[in-house]
Amino acid sequence: MGRFMLRRFVNYLALVIIAASLTYALAAISLNPRANFEGRNPKPSAASVTATLNEYNLNPDTPLLVRFGHWAGGVAHGDLGRTVTGGQVNDEFGRRVGVSTRLLLISTLLGSMGGVMVGAWGAIRQYRASDRISTLASFGVLAMPVFVIAVTLKLWAIDLNDAVGHKVIEYTGEYDPGLSGTGEILLSRLQHLLLPSLTLIVIQIALYSRYQRSSMLDVLGSDFLRTARAKGLSRKAALMKHGLRTAVLPVVPLLVYNVVLLFTGATFTEKIFGWHGMGEWLVNSISTNDVNATAAVGLFTAVVVLIAGLLSDLLYAALDPRVRMS
Amino acid sequence: MAVQTPSVQPTASSTAVTTRPAPRRRSRTRLTAIRFARNRTALFGLLMLILLFLMAYVAPLLYKWSYTDLDFNAFQQPPSASHWFGTDQTGSDLFAMTARGMQKSLVIGLLTGVICTVLAAAVGASAGYFGGWTDRGLMWIVDLLLVMPNFLIIAVLSPLFQGTTWLVFVVLLAAFSWMITGRVVRSMTLTLKDREFVKAAKYMGVPAPVIIFRHILPSMASMLIIDGTIQVGTAIIGETSLSYFGFGVQAPDVSLGTVIATGTPAAPSFPWLFYFPAGCLVLICLSIAFIGDGLRDALDPNSSRAKARKNRKSQEGPTS
């Protein structure tokens, strides 16, 4: 087991290094940081722009390999380089991971638990009205791009606020900077958290319930459930204790995988609701030609995929005694 | 590596593949069609998709406004008899824009779905069939592409393709969405590789590509068809999502993503700018999902729905 995980880890690590290098190379070739300075008013002189670009290791005229060497050397020492505006990518990175975590914590918890519950419930009541409705609803949600869900929720919130005549639901940013007092700040944060969380929760419930439903259906006809019933357990107890536990097994690794991937997958949610997290950074850094920031996001995503893969492997082995990895 | 081989070999399907008499094939297609037609949601999806196609391609021919027209007598007008979906701040007709966007989104979705499935089938089957270094090399590429986030890569590359054709975009989308299917095809190939009809063909000296395309891939046709429909939906969502941020289809061209993106800022006061194109997009994806689900039930030999429905009827009587 230990050796297996180690081999797995080394393999993933190689992939991460290559993926991150490729991302840096693509970003360095494709994005043009010089354009950012030329758009400024008053327009800086060409020489000073070149000097600044050189200082930030962003000059497109420097050979790619040289730039890559600088960047990789920095990354090896834990320095992700400078942004287009001269800030440290590291600082921005830390801030944004924090924002993303605050956004994702509650919503993934509620979303994954809700998804498992809805899926199991649908399977137990297969083809009844409630199952049909929840299946149809999850189809509906999965047929919607995230930005459609997010913008629709935002428009509804605006309508609601107008109807009430008071800003009940907030839809931009993480908090109101003008507030003081713990209670008020907490309330404001909750108000701001509601819509982006709802977006993420709805999507996750729809997705996980599909998997949970089909895995629960497989379990429902199994012998061990019949045995449990024959032992005298009530249907509910048998389903809860033996059915759900077995059925959730195959869904857990997938769940972990998706949860971890949400860190950059929440791009639309963050962007539309104005949360300055990793997902928003991805879009912003590309549209502002910020090569080092883009590379940082690429590196982060690759590492996150690595962690997700390892974690789901480990969790599966821990949960399912039938799995022997050697 | 332990290869799972199913203990119960479905004999019916293997004879169908080896002998493959013409009438049996037709009857299988007919069976699928009948089972599909019995599924009301799937039929509804098909009907809806046909209507959406008509709206995208036929309606603009009969409609008064083209997507490039500007009506200077109607800025930000709500839906009316003259402008079915209303107009935006420059006087463009939203129905014409939406139809144009749907054309692009539908074509991109279908093309990407097809290319992606073909790519996955070719790569997955080759990896599984040849094994060894081919397998290792191809699976390593699959892993690498899975680690590189496709949204980020396509978005990063988008400046390079500004001003070129949207076909580049199709290629990019397809190039980054075939990997999971490729893996599934590979593992299915591994189980098929040791079956009698493949071995027989191999020892008769049939070249490998022919075995792959004539014997192995047809055996997983149903999986590929179902996956293809799912990919079409995924591609449409991917395309519109990228275009929404300006990383996809570029300005002079119109896709549903760009139509929705331009409408969004004004949507709080002029809701039709968002709801109509977004509604069309959701309907497209929904109809494709319904069709895919119906195909899955119709093509799956041990699908439970037909049986379950019969049981339910006999137990509970005709309810609904």
Side-chain angles (χ1 to χ4, degrees), chain B residues 91-240:
Chain B
S92 303
D93 180 88
L94 202 69
F95 179 80
M97 298 269 287
T98 305
R100 176 70 182 180
M102 281 166 72
Q103 290 180 7
K104 194 89 332 124
S105 296
L106 282 167
V107 169
I108 291 178
L110 286 174
L111 273 181
T112 310
V114 170
I115 295 175
C116 178
T117 308
V118 170
L119 198 65
V123 173
S126 312
Y129 185 78
F130 294 113
W133 280 107
T134 320
D135 186 22
R136 249 167 277 172
L138 288 175
M139 284 307 110
W140 189 82
I141 294 174
V142 165
D143 282 344
L144 182 67
L145 286 179
L146 282 173
V147 173
M148 313 239 306
N150 54 2
F151 186 89
L152 186 137
I153 299 297
I154 300 179
V156 164
L157 288 176
S158 68
L160 286 185
F161 299 114
Q162 241 157 39
T164 55
T165 158
W166 52 270
L167 281 168
V168 178
F169 190 47
V170 171
V171 173
L172 279 180
L173 271 175
F176 282 101
S177 41
W178 59 274
M179 294 85 71
I180 308 251
T181 318
R183 270 186 177 285
V184 177
V185 172
R186 172 182 172 270
S187 59
M188 288 176 88
T189 308
L190 286 176
T191 66
L192 283 169
K193 196 166 91 167
D194 297 324
R195 296 271 284 275
E196 299 83 353
F197 65 94
V198 176
K199 278 196 169 148
K202 195 172 168 185
Y203 294 135
M204 277 160 70
V206 179
V210 178
I211 293 182
I212 289 176
F213 283 103
R214 289 288 301 279
H215 299 288
I216 290 183
L217 288 179
S219 308
M220 50 179 98
S222 43
M223 188 282 275
L224 288 175
I225 292 171
I226 294 163
D227 191 76
T229 46
I230 296 170
Q231 290 290 357
V232 172
T234 316
I236 290 178
I237 290 187
E239 178 271 318
T240 47

Side-chain angles (χ1 to χ4, degrees), chain A residues 26-33 60 67 285-291 294, chain B residues 155-157 159-160:
Chain A
L26 288 178
I29 293 169
S30 171
L31 304 177
N32 177 21
R67 272 184 287 160
S285 56
I286 294 172
S287 31
T288 54
N289 293 307
D290 201 336
V291 176
T294 308
Chain B
V156 164
L157 288 176
L160 286 185

Side-chain angles (χ1 to χ4, degrees), chain A residues 40-319:
Chain A
R40 278 187 197 167
N41 200 10
K43 199 176 157 192
S45 73
S48 74
V49 170
T50 307
T52 318
L53 287 175
N54 276 335
E55 193 196 331
Y56 300 160
N57 189 32
L58 290 172
N59 189 353
D61 300 327
T62 316
L64 181 62
L65 273 177
V66 178
R67 272 184 287 160
F68 176 74
H70 273 288
W71 178 77
V75 171
H77 292 98
D79 175 19
L80 293 166
R82 306 280 288 268
T83 65
V84 161
T85 47
Q88 294 290 335
V89 174
N90 282 23
D91 299 345
E92 189 78 9
F93 191 94
R95 199 160 46 233
R96 285 180 181 272
V97 169
V99 173
S100 284
T101 313
R102 285 197 290 277
L103 174 62
L104 294 175
L105 208 63
I106 297 174
S107 56
T108 47
L109 225 66
L110 291 178
S112 50
M113 281 190 329
V116 167
M117 285 301 143
V118 170
W121 189 59
I124 293 169
R125 304 173 56 89
Q126 195 189 11
Y127 298 133
R128 303 258 197 94
S130 56
D131 175 42
R132 277 168 191 276
I133 291 169
S134 68
T135 303
L136 213 63
S138 68
F139 261 118
V141 170
L142 293 178
M144 284 189 222
V146 187
F147 65 88
V148 170
I149 299 178
V151 173
T152 308
L153 284 177
K154 196 167 162 172
L155 291 179
W156 287 355
I158 294 172
D159 286 346
L160 183 81
N161 288 345
D162 285 347
V164 180
H166 168 69
K167 234 182 177 186
V168 188
I169 304 172
E170 298 280 350
Y171 43 82
T172 34
E174 203 188 334
Y175 53 89
D176 200 339
L179 291 177
S180 59
T182 325
E184 259 182 51
I185 290 176
L186 203 68
L187 184 72
S188 160
R189 276 190 181 265
L190 278 180
Q191 279 179 318
H192 284 88
L193 192 63
L194 185 68
L195 282 191
S197 301
L198 202 61
T199 311
L200 293 169
I201 290 172
V202 163
I203 295 165
Q204 290 184 85
I205 288 184
L207 186 67
Y208 302 142
S209 71
R210 301 303 303 150
Y211 291 104
Q212 178 65 32
R213 180 175 177 275
S214 71
S215 116
M216 191 77 182
L217 279 179
D218 289 344
V219 169
L220 280 182
S222 62
D223 292 333
F224 66 83
L225 262 194
R226 211 166 301 127
T227 315
R229 292 277 280 135
K231 272 190 337 191
L233 278 179
S234 71
R235 182 174 142 84
K236 201 173 167 189
L239 281 176
M240 275 313 195
K241 209 172 159 198
H242 298 278
L244 190 61
R245 241 172 96 175
T246 322
V248 89
L249 274 181
V251 184
V252 166
L254 181 111
L255 218 137
V256 171
Y257 215 84
N258 276 305
V259 166
V260 181
L261 289 186
L262 262 182
F263 266 98
T264 43
T267 310
F268 291 90
T269 318
E270 288 180 3
K271 186 82 184 154
I272 288 165
F273 295 112
W275 282 58
H276 307 306
M278 290 304 286
E280 191 210 44
W281 205 23
L282 191 162
V283 173
N284 285 358
S285 56
I286 294 172
S287 31
T288 54
N289 293 307
D290 201 336
V291 176
N292 289 334
T294 308
V297 179
L299 180 69
F300 177 72
T301 332
V303 172
V304 147
V305 174
L306 161 103
I307 295 173
L310 282 175
L311 214 61
S312 71
D313 286 352
L314 267 178
L315 216 66
Y316 202 88
L319 287 173

Side-chain angles (χ1 to χ4, degrees), chain B:
Chain B
M1 175 173 282
V3 177
Q4 299 177 295
T5 33
S7 52
V8 186
Q9 306 261 335
T11 45
S13 76
S14 78
T15 49
V17 171
T18 38
T19 52
R20 204 186 300 161
R24 276 202 58 154
R25 262 185 84 74
R26 209 184 300 133
S27 77
R28 164 129 202 237
T29 319
R30 244 184 67 196
L31 180 71
T32 308
I34 291 170
R35 296 176 71 170
F36 186 84
R38 237 186 354 218
N39 187 335
R40 259 173 300 163
T41 351
L43 269 190
F44 176 69
L46 190 64
L47 187 74
M48 196 153 76
L49 192 65
I50 292 171
L51 286 177
L52 288 162
F53 257 100
L54 289 179
M55 180 187 156
Y57 284 95
V58 180
L61 302 176
L62 313 168
Y63 192 61
K64 197 166 132 201
W65 306 96
S66 123
Y67 75 100
T68 46
D69 289 348
L70 299 177
D71 184 356
F72 296 113
N73 296 316
F75 297 117
Q76 311 262 45
Q77 290 302 306
S80 64
S82 166
H83 297 283
W84 294 353
F85 284 4
T87 56
D88 71 3
Q89 54 270 48
T90 56
S92 303
D93 180 88
L94 202 69
F95 179 80
M97 298 269 287
T98 305
R100 176 70 182 180
M102 281 166 72
Q103 290 180 7
K104 194 89 332 124
S105 296
L106 282 167
V107 169
I108 291 178
L110 286 174
L111 273 181
T112 310
V114 170
I115 295 175
C116 178
T117 308
V118 170
L119 198 65
V123 173
S126 312
Y129 185 78
F130 294 113
W133 280 107
T134 320
D135 186 22
R136 249 167 277 172
L138 288 175
M139 284 307 110
W140 189 82
I141 294 174
V142 165
D143 282 344
L144 182 67
L145 286 179
L146 282 173
V147 173
M148 313 239 306
N150 54 2
F151 186 89
L152 186 137
I153 299 297
I154 300 179
V156 164
L157 288 176
S158 68
L160 286 185
F161 299 114
Q162 241 157 39
T164 55
T165 158
W166 52 270
L167 281 168
V168 178
F169 190 47
V170 171
V171 173
L172 279 180
L173 271 175
F176 282 101
S177 41
W178 59 274
M179 294 85 71
I180 308 251
T181 318
R183 270 186 177 285
V184 177
V185 172
R186 172 182 172 270
S187 59
M188 288 176 88
T189 308
L190 286 176
T191 66
L192 283 169
K193 196 166 91 167
D194 297 324
R195 296 271 284 275
E196 299 83 353
F197 65 94
V198 176
K199 278 196 169 148
K202 195 172 168 185
Y203 294 135
M204 277 160 70
V206 179
V210 178
I211 293 182
I212 289 176
F213 283 103
R214 289 288 301 279
H215 299 288
I216 290 183
L217 288 179
S219 308
M220 50 179 98
S222 43
M223 188 282 275
L224 288 175
I225 292 171
I226 294 163
D227 191 76
T229 46
I230 296 170
Q231 290 290 357
V232 172
T234 316
I236 290 178
I237 290 187
E239 178 271 318
T240 47
S241 302
L242 282 154
S243 299
Y244 182 82
F245 282 147
F247 296 135
V249 171
Q250 299 292 335
D253 241 326
V254 179
S255 104
L256 272 182
T258 57
V259 174
I260 295 171
T262 38
T264 304
S269 346
F270 311 101
W272 59 89
L273 293 179
F274 172 76
Y275 283 123
F276 279 114
C280 289
L281 173 59
V282 173
L283 285 183
I284 292 176
C285 296
L286 207 55
S287 60
I288 291 171
F290 285 158
I291 293 171
D293 196 52
L295 275 177
R296 187 201 317 272
D297 278 345
L299 285 166
D300 184 0
N302 35 16
S303 150
S304 59
R305 185 165 288 189
K307 279 182 278 174
R309 179 167 292 169
K310 221 161 75 195
N311 289 347
R312 194 171 66 97
K313 283 229 170 91
S314 62
Q315 279 166 12
E316 303 172 358
T319 42
S320 76

